[in-house]
């Protein structure tokens, strides 16, 4: 079963959106396998956003992501990587469709509420960067037979 890394950014936490956001993935039918509320070090933030290191917004992005606590999560399910990206919506909240997290809850790209892995390789790397094996719980939800044929 596929897994993805999702992180509610400091703006989502400060704005009291944690339950709204987690609820969307839970009611969709995905399975939570890792969850932690944490401060983010500069070192972790820079590794996480390493692909954007040369972009003009990199320093501001690292400042932002380390500016307050975040909710780091791993979710599991069929097609969860691409589906979570759809649930999250476009990078720029003004371009994100209504019904998506960014489309419903955000305005500007530098405050776009949540991160989600964009492909199987990045999902695997980000899960390993943010979680140890022992922090991830493999379990079988009782509803599984009602979610999957
Ligand atoms: P996404 O978070 O949708 O995967 P991304 O990987 O292209 O988007 O960029 C990572 C984050 O960097 C994004 O969530 C917000 C910030 N960012 C991206 N483009 C930006 C821009 N043009 N100006 C400011 N911040 C930007
Ligand atoms: Mg990205």
């Amino acid at each position: 079963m596929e897994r993805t890394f999702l992180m509610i950014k400091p703006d989502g936490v400060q704005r009291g959106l944690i339950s709204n956001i987690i609820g969307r993935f839970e009611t969709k039918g995905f399975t939570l396998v890792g969850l932690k509320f944490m401060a983010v070090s500069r070192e972790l933030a820079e590794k996480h956003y390493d692909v954007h290191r040369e972009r003009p917004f990199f320093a501001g992005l690292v400042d932002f992501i380390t500016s307050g606590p975040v909710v780091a999560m791993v979710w599991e399910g069929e097609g969860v990587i691409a589906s979570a990206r759809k649930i999250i919506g476009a990078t720029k909240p003004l371009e994100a469709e209504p019904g998506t997290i960014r489309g419903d809850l955000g305005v500007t790209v530098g405050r776009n509420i949540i991160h989600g892995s964009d492909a199987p390789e990045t999902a695997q790397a980000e899960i390993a960067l943010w979680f140890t094996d022992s922090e991830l719980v493999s379990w079988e939800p009782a509803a599984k037979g009602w979610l999957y044929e």
Side-chain angles (χ1 to χ4, degrees):
M1 199 66 95
E2 195 169 277
R3 289 181 174 181
T4 195
F5 172 73
L6 305 180
M7 178 208 11
I8 303 175
K9 298 181 181 181
D11 53 334
V13 173
Q14 297 287 354
R15 291 177 56 207
L17 300 175
I18 294 172
S19 62
N20 178 313
I21 292 166
I22 290 181
R24 295 175 188 233
F25 299 101
E26 195 176 35
T27 54
K28 170 73 173 169
F30 293 132
T31 303
L32 187 62
V33 296
L35 175 73
K36 55 185 173 182
F37 183 68
M38 59 185 283
V40 182
S41 68
R42 274 201 98 73
E43 187 190 358
L44 176 58
E46 287 178 3
K47 275 188 193 156
H48 174 75
Y49 281 124
D50 189 56
V51 65
H52 297 304
R53 196 171 283 273
E54 304 305 326
R55 309 283 284 276
F57 57 79
F58 180 74
L61 184 57
V62 171
D63 285 344
F64 168 55
I65 223 69
T66 56
S67 66
V70 305
V71 180
M73 302 177 279
V74 178
W75 287 84
E76 183 177 270
E78 200 173 300
V80 68
I81 300 170
S83 178
R85 293 280 297 187
K86 280 190 193 160
I87 290 167
I88 289 168
T91 303
K92 295 181 177 170
L94 289 180
E95 292 171 9
E97 294 295 328
T100 64
I101 292 168
R102 289 168 173 168
D104 286 349
L105 305 175
V107 182
T108 187
V109 67
R111 300 287 184 271
N112 65 4
I113 308 164
I114 181 169
H115 167 84
S117 306
D118 60 10
E121 307 75 51
T122 48
Q124 202 181 7
E126 289 170 0
I127 290 168
L129 178 63
W130 287 80
F131 285 87
T132 63
D133 283 348
S134 65
E135 289 174 326
L136 300 176
V137 181
S138 296
W139 63 292
E140 180 118 336
K144 195 170 179 188
W146 301 98
L147 281 161
Y148 295 92
E149 290 181 84

